[in-house]
Amino acid sequence: MKTFCGRANPTTGALDWVEESEEYDYHQEIARSCYADMLHDHDRNLKYYQGIRAAVGRVKARGEKVIVLDIGTGTGLLSMMALTAGADFCFAVEVFKPMAEAAQSIVKKNGFSEKIKIINKHSTDVTVGPDGDMQMKANVLITELFDTELIGEGALPSYAHAHQNLVQEGCEAVPHRATVYAQLVESELLWSWAQLQPVEVEGTRLVPLPTGGPCAGAHAVCDIQLSQVPPHSFTPLGPLCTMFSVNFSKPVSSAFQSHSSQFVAQAGGRAQVVLSWWDLDMDPSGSIVCTMAPSWTYKQPKTAPWRDHWMQSVYFLPVESSVSDGEELRLTVCHDDYSLWYSLQSPSQQSSQSEAAPSRPCCTCQAHLVWNRPRFGELNDRRRTESYVSALRSVLREDSVCLGVSDGSLLPVFAHVLGAKKVYGLENSRMSEQVIEQVLEANSMKGAVELLEIRPEQLSSKDLGGEQISVLMGEPYFSTSLLPWHSLFFWYCRTALAGLLRPDAAILPRSATLHMAAVEFQDLWRIRAPCGTCEGFDVTPMDEMVQRSLDFRESLEAEPHPLWEYPCRALTPPTVVMTFDFTQCVPQQPISSQGSLPFTRIGRCHGVALWMEYHLTDDITVSAGLIGPVSEQGECEWSRHRKQGVYFFRSPGESSGDGRASVSYSFTFEPSLGDIKMDFSIKVQ
């Protein structure tokens, strides 16, 4: 049996549906799931173990047998902890079949098969009774159902069902309680991910989208490694507020709720962003706490545990507003059964408005449906905009006919402002086209750019009014691109448009280069590292399961990661490994590149970082990877706008930094596929 899977096609810029084996989705889910990250989280494991021991002890002290229900058991780790702590029996529920099978193997390998029953179902489908999945209700409830937003994986409905159907009244839950915290801040950096900002081009101030009022933006959470957002990039306007708590040892409701916290502003500024995270109290006394707080809240930031399965949340307020130092404010959070949203009220607003809970933010400008958060940041990057404007200025003439090829790009607007005779823009969707039309209308430029929802190979001279293109421009950005080199779709567009270009046409960017550096990750290596033994339990069956999935074709390739969130050190010099000349058409034959890079710094090589740089002119370059020189110690500063490619080595390599060891590489660009095949190995002389 086959299944259809979506995959970015760099030659067409589209998402193709390709036929794969029926196990393809399983393998991709397992290979990219980062299960190992959770097992490498010693702080999480330790706090759960302590909480489980305490809960089992409380039930035994009442003279009861300890019957455990473990929802979302994964590897079965928490169930094995419960048995070791003295539980009498565990029902371990896991809905993902490959994981349930791995848990069965792990439980057997550790000698707990007689006392742990793996149930391969969603917890809401589990039955209780003599012939049911569970022969009796549990009196200890252990769960790990949380995501960065706490409730995004359906924790509340699962808890509500469990209390009603699967556990005894007065059960002990681990964790016992979750508490959500929030802080109101002003941050130009973070706010740039939320709304399009005004921009100056040649003395003309381009204003954001018109919507008849401010757009509330996308309601979905922005989950990031907040530890990598330096405190100097935001200004706290109020204290850290306790927003609400959920007691998991009592019946839980998944109904809509709102909670408010009143406080006095600690500084004046623009209220724009809410930073949020949560804690887990593993026991009723609150003496065993697992916190998601970012590292800069710690007295010693380096002691903060690293997690990628649970990060921190950024919420953008529907409207930014002025706040005065000493002003009384009320921050309100609302949640349904899967998501949260925030709003801010002042006393004057509180008295003039009804007590109705704030509605969920909803985009009215369409831009939030077209552009993701990093894309907003890219469009709001003044330095990047200046680079493109300078490059355009250097190639434009009074008689220039310009064509822009990028998704939802402002380059055609810039070209018009800079005085081009005629400007066209190709858009891949009607929605994207409408967003750019709104930008033009907001700036009284309606009709100044002719937007065409047409594929490059279908464009004709008639569509261009009989004119030839003198400037072909692209960022290049395409919404379907996953890996850095997928934006080479621009090259295919340029090739399809060759017959419509003037002989002396300017191509912007002129070329692109693929760069690489072998790196040592501070923490990201954990998502691919085998666990072996976790807190004294043998979990090698899970390692073997992940390894089998990593052997699948696509899983052997590079994967996209925003490296600004994941610090690493370069152990080799950053190096250009391939060049793509956009002034020429895509070649018929493959392009290959081989070589080796010596290790120049001491460290442990976990893999290779890969990124693209776009050369707009001979002297203007925009990087989608490193945005500054590598430090003497190897620290790297990465673009926040695009994801880089990461190729993980199966086993880390040791570098002595004396050049005796090196990374050998081989790249092949396949024109028919638009993709790059690559291979790496570490060699020691």
Side-chain angles (χ1 to χ4, degrees):
M1 187 175 175
K2 300 286 186 178
T3 184
F4 285 96
C5 300
R7 183 178 298 162
N9 185 331
T11 69
T12 64
L15 189 68
D16 285 352
W17 290 95
V18 296
E19 196 176 57
E20 296 284 1
S21 73
E22 63 180 345
E23 294 188 355
Y24 177 84
D25 278 346
Y26 276 171
H27 284 296
Q28 290 304 296
E29 175 69 21
I30 294 166
R32 305 293 190 222
S33 63
C34 309
Y35 286 119
D37 166 42
M38 302 179 73
L39 297 182
H40 283 294
D41 186 349
H42 176 67
D43 178 74
R44 162 196 174 270
N45 299 341
L46 178 62
K47 300 297 174 52
Y48 260 99
Y49 214 163
Q50 291 173 340
I52 289 168
R53 286 196 193 100
V56 170
R58 289 194 297 274
V59 174
K60 291 181 85 68
R62 299 199 293 260
E64 301 174 24
K65 278 192 172 184
V66 180
I67 307 300
V68 174
L69 171 61
D70 176 6
I71 300 179
T73 192
T75 59
L77 176 67
L78 303 184
S79 289
M80 294 189 294
M81 287 179 175
L83 265 295
T84 305
D88 294 282
F89 197 86
C90 291
F91 296 103
V93 180
E94 174 56 51
V95 69
F96 187 42
K97 185 177 180 180
M99 198 72 243
E101 292 172 347
Q104 192 74 63
S105 298
I106 291 169
V107 165
K108 182 178 180 180
K109 196 176 189 69
N110 287 275
F112 293 107
S113 292
E114 298 300 316
K115 290 193 173 185
I116 297 178
K117 180 182 179 181
I118 305 296
I119 304 172
N120 180 207
K121 287 185 176 182
H122 193 283
S123 65
T124 55
D125 295 326
V126 171
T127 57
V128 179
D131 299 320
D133 301 306
M134 298 171 60
Q135 285 65 57
M136 66 202 77
K137 289 187 175 183
N139 52 15
V140 172
L141 174 59
I142 301 173
T143 59
E144 206 284 54
L145 300 171
F146 314 114
D147 68 349
T148 292
E149 204 172 13
L150 182 67
I151 64 173
E153 290 185 3
L156 295 182
S158 296
Y159 270 113
H161 177 271
H163 275 285
Q164 188 172 359
N165 300 280
L166 306 178
V167 300
Q168 301 172 20
E169 185 178 351
C171 80
E172 301 281 350
V174 182
H176 172 76
R177 178 176 46 242
T179 303
V180 173
Y181 303 93
Q183 186 168 37
L184 179 69
V185 304
E186 174 184 6
S187 173
E188 182 180 354
L189 168 65
L190 298 177
W191 188 245
S192 73
W193 299 348
Q195 304 285 352
L196 191 62
Q197 305 298 315
V199 61
E200 292 280 343
V201 177
E202 208 74 351
T204 299
R205 187 174 188 267
L206 299 176
V207 298
L209 304 162
T211 60
C215 176
H219 80 271
V221 65
C222 177
D223 53 340
I224 61 172
Q225 291 283 358
L226 203 52
S227 295
Q228 299 308 314
V229 177
H232 64 74
S233 66
F234 60 87
T235 302
L237 301 180
L240 185 65
C241 300
T242 301
M243 299 307 300
F244 68 94
S245 293
V246 183
N247 184 335
F248 298 125
S249 294
K250 295 181 178 180
V252 171
S253 171
S254 62
F256 170 89
Q257 294 184 33
S258 67
H259 309 270
S260 295
S261 179
Q262 291 190 267
F263 61 93
V264 175
Q266 296 177 337
R270 304 292 295 175
Q272 299 169 323
V273 177
V274 175
L275 309 182
S276 182
W277 57 87
W278 44 268
D279 287 352
L280 293 176
D281 289 325
M282 295 298 182
D283 66 329
S285 69
S287 60
I288 307 169
V289 181
C290 185
T291 178
M292 306 307 121
S295 62
W296 36 258
T297 65
Y298 284 67
K299 290 183 178 179
Q300 295 180 311
K302 290 185 178 180
T303 64
W306 183 84
R307 301 183 175 97
D308 203 44
H309 49 284
W310 296 331
M311 294 187 280
Q312 295 80 38
S313 300
V314 172
Y315 296 91
F316 303 105
L317 291 176
V319 182
E320 66 172 333
S321 57
S322 295
V323 168
S324 301
D325 187 8
E327 183 179 356
E328 292 186 6
L329 297 169
R330 182 174 72 177
L331 186 64
T332 298
V333 61
C334 301
H335 72 79
D336 53 20
D337 48 354
Y338 283 96
S339 60
L340 285 69
W341 60 95
Y342 282 84
S343 61
L344 182 70
Q345 299 86 31
S346 65
S348 59
Q349 291 173 314
Q350 294 171 36
S351 60
S352 63
Q353 295 177 356
S354 67
E355 289 302 311
S359 60
R360 183 197 300 271
C362 180
C363 173
T364 55
C365 70
Q366 294 193 91
H368 299 90
L369 307 179
V370 172
W371 298 326
N372 58 22
R373 267 67 181 258
R375 178 62 172 161
F376 271 100
E378 189 168 56
L379 293 171
N380 287 325
D381 186 329
R382 297 186 187 92
R383 184 176 297 179
R384 182 178 180 278
T385 295
E386 288 169 3
S387 295
Y388 278 96
V389 169
S390 296
L392 274 171
R393 189 187 297 114
S394 71
V395 299
L396 285 177
R397 303 291 179 264
E398 289 185 0
D399 63 345
S400 290
V401 176
C402 303
L403 176 65
V405 181
S406 276
D407 291 350
S409 174
L410 298 180
L411 290 188
V413 182
F414 298 162
H416 168 73
V417 173
L418 290 169
K421 171 187 168 185
K422 185 66 180 175
V423 184
Y424 298 88
L426 293 187
E427 290 294 344
N428 75 341
S429 71
R430 178 61 184 151
M431 190 176 293
S432 182
E433 182 182 336
Q434 289 173 339
V435 169
I436 303 303
E437 284 176 347
Q438 287 186 70
V439 173
L440 292 167
E441 188 173 344
N443 291 280
S444 303
M445 297 178 187
K446 189 174 182 179
V449 176
E450 188 169 339
L451 298 171
L452 305 169
E453 189 185 342
I454 189 172
R455 296 195 58 76
E457 65 272 14
Q458 298 171 328
L459 192 69
S460 67
S461 179
K462 184 179 178 180
D463 296 314
L464 302 175
E467 299 268 16
Q468 285 189 303
I469 301 164
S470 53
V471 177
L472 179 65
M473 56 192 176
E475 301 190 38
Y477 169 83
F478 303 101
S479 58
T480 55
S481 298
L482 299 175
L483 289 161
W485 43 92
H486 289 171
S487 289
L488 289 175
F489 174 55
F490 177 78
W491 203 7
Y492 288 85
C493 296
R494 178 260 181 270
T495 303
L497 297 166
L500 300 175
L501 299 176
R502 290 183 187 176
D504 61 345
I507 311 296
L508 190 157
R510 295 176 53 83
S511 63
T513 45
L514 176 65
H515 298 242
M516 69 165 275
V519 297
E520 175 185 54
F521 284 109
Q522 181 174 302
D523 295 296
L524 188 63
W525 59 270
R526 301 173 196 272
I527 70 172
R528 293 287 168 263
C531 295
T533 299
C534 179
E535 312 306 331
F537 301 98
D538 186 344
V539 295
T540 52
M542 190 213 69
D543 294 335
E544 293 163 0
M545 177 188 73
V546 172
Q547 191 59 61
R548 285 193 298 272
S549 291
L550 286 171
D551 288 337
F552 228 66
R553 182 192 66 254
E554 189 171 296
S555 304
L556 289 169
E557 300 174 354
E559 53 193 79
H561 288 283
L563 292 186
W564 73 269
E565 294 187 58
Y566 304 110
C568 62
R569 293 175 55 244
L571 302 180
T572 64
T575 303
V576 176
V577 292
M578 295 195 89
T579 299
F580 310 97
D581 185 359
F582 296 157
T583 65
Q584 304 298 316
C585 291
V586 175
Q588 302 268 326
Q589 301 301 317
I591 302 174
S592 297
S593 172
Q594 296 85 32
S596 63
L597 288 177
F599 286 111
T600 54
R601 295 183 182 90
I602 298 173
R604 199 165 201 220
C605 181
H606 297 114
V608 173
L610 301 145
W611 67 97
M612 298 287 282
E613 293 188 1
Y614 299 100
H615 308 283
L616 309 184
T617 65
D618 290 338
D619 55 357
I620 300 176
T621 294
V622 172
S623 176
L626 284 177
I627 56 174
V630 175
S631 75
E632 188 175 331
Q633 293 74 32
E635 280 85 6
C636 305
E637 184 180 2
W638 299 97
S639 167
R640 290 188 174 94
H641 308 320
R642 306 263 183 120
K643 291 183 179 180
Q644 292 72 44
V646 178
Y647 185 101
F648 288 99
F649 291 134
R650 291 287 177 84
S651 300
E654 300 297 332
S655 164
S656 58
D658 56 8
R660 288 187 297 174
S662 62
V663 176
S664 295
Y665 61 84
S666 173
F667 294 90
T668 301
F669 171 70
E670 296 282 357
S672 61
L673 301 175
D675 220 342
I676 297 175
K677 301 297 181 185
M678 59 192 68
D679 189 44
F680 303 94
S681 61
I682 296 177
K683 297 185 177 179
V684 181
Q685 294 180 353

